[in-house]
Amino acid sequence: MNPRNSFVLLAIVLWLTACNQLHEDANVNESTTYITNDTVSEMRSKVSTVPVAEYVKSLNDPLNNHWKFAIFVTETKLRFSYILRMQYKELDESDTLRIPNFGIKPKVEIHKGNDDYSCIIGFLDKKSEFKEYKQVAIKDNQMKLTTLRKYFVGVYRTVSQ
């Protein structure tokens, strides 16, 4: 048999085996049960307009006494999604803050950072321990939002017999 024909025959056999394996995996998934953190509703029944967390520090500018470094976290309709509003001098920016679903109602907190105009945004875990998540800081007269850590929630699955 020609080596080229052998290669083509081998490729076809491997392809058919892979297709058969995908079909078998699809059958396994049909009997799979997923256990998730569904103890807390994904949607809020009432959205508060009052910030759930805030950090405000005056800039002590004699000409612009209303200037400040401020961070506000407010709720959205989605329980694990928040609006993050950041202010510095005349700059007013916003972003979305997503908290992982640990099966408990999220509690967002803001702690003072290492510098005068910086803060750490995080949340409390099941043990009420503060988990650092993002940092807002002023560097060289510019506001920077940095992700400090990433968090993932595992999903456990069992296969029915």
Side-chain angles (χ1 to χ4, degrees):
M1 183 177 251
N2 180 336
R4 184 175 181 186
N5 289 343
S6 297
F7 177 74
V8 170
L9 182 60
L10 179 63
I12 291 173
V13 169
L14 289 174
W15 180 74
L16 289 173
T17 304
C19 288
N20 187 39
Q21 184 64 37
L22 287 174
H23 180 69
E24 288 175 8
D25 288 346
N27 291 337
V28 169
N29 286 337
E30 290 174 8
S31 63
T32 301
T33 303
Y34 291 91
I35 302 168
T36 62
N37 290 324
D38 60 354
T39 56
V40 178
S41 171
E42 294 279 333
M43 302 296 282
R44 286 190 176 90
S45 57
K46 183 179 176 189
V47 178
S48 174
T49 57
V50 176
V52 296
E54 64 181 60
Y55 180 87
V56 180
K57 183 166 176 66
S58 175
L59 294 181
N60 298 322
D61 187 308
L63 297 177
N64 300 291
N65 58 4
H66 66 283
W67 279 0
K68 60 188 170 186
F69 170 70
I71 309 301
F72 303 97
V73 178
T74 55
E75 293 179 346
T76 67
K77 188 77 173 160
L78 299 172
R79 183 170 311 278
F80 301 97
S81 185
Y82 295 85
I83 299 296
L84 175 61
R85 197 170 127 235
M86 304 163 281
Q87 287 181 279
Y88 177 65
K89 295 184 179 181
E90 295 296 322
L91 183 63
D92 192 352
E93 293 292 327
S94 63
D95 200 357
T96 302
L97 179 71
R98 289 184 177 82
I99 304 297
N101 181 355
F102 288 118
I104 59 173
K105 289 183 181 179
K107 181 156 173 41
V108 177
E109 290 187 355
I110 303 175
H111 293 186
K112 183 183 181 329
N114 294 333
D115 300 327
D116 283 342
Y117 301 111
S118 73
C119 64
I120 308 294
I121 303 161
F123 55 90
L124 300 182
D125 66 5
K126 284 187 173 186
K127 297 176 184 176
S128 293
E129 293 177 9
F130 182 72
K131 298 294 182 184
E132 293 183 343
Y133 188 26
K134 303 222 180 220
Q135 177 183 31
V136 180
I138 304 303
K139 299 285 184 194
D140 298 325
N141 215 27
Q142 293 186 11
M143 186 167 46
K144 295 188 180 200
L145 175 64
T146 307
T147 300
L148 299 174
R149 292 194 168 68
K150 294 183 180 184
Y151 298 91
F152 301 95
V153 177
V155 178
Y156 298 96
R157 69 179 191 158
T158 59
V159 179
S160 302
Q161 295 289 333

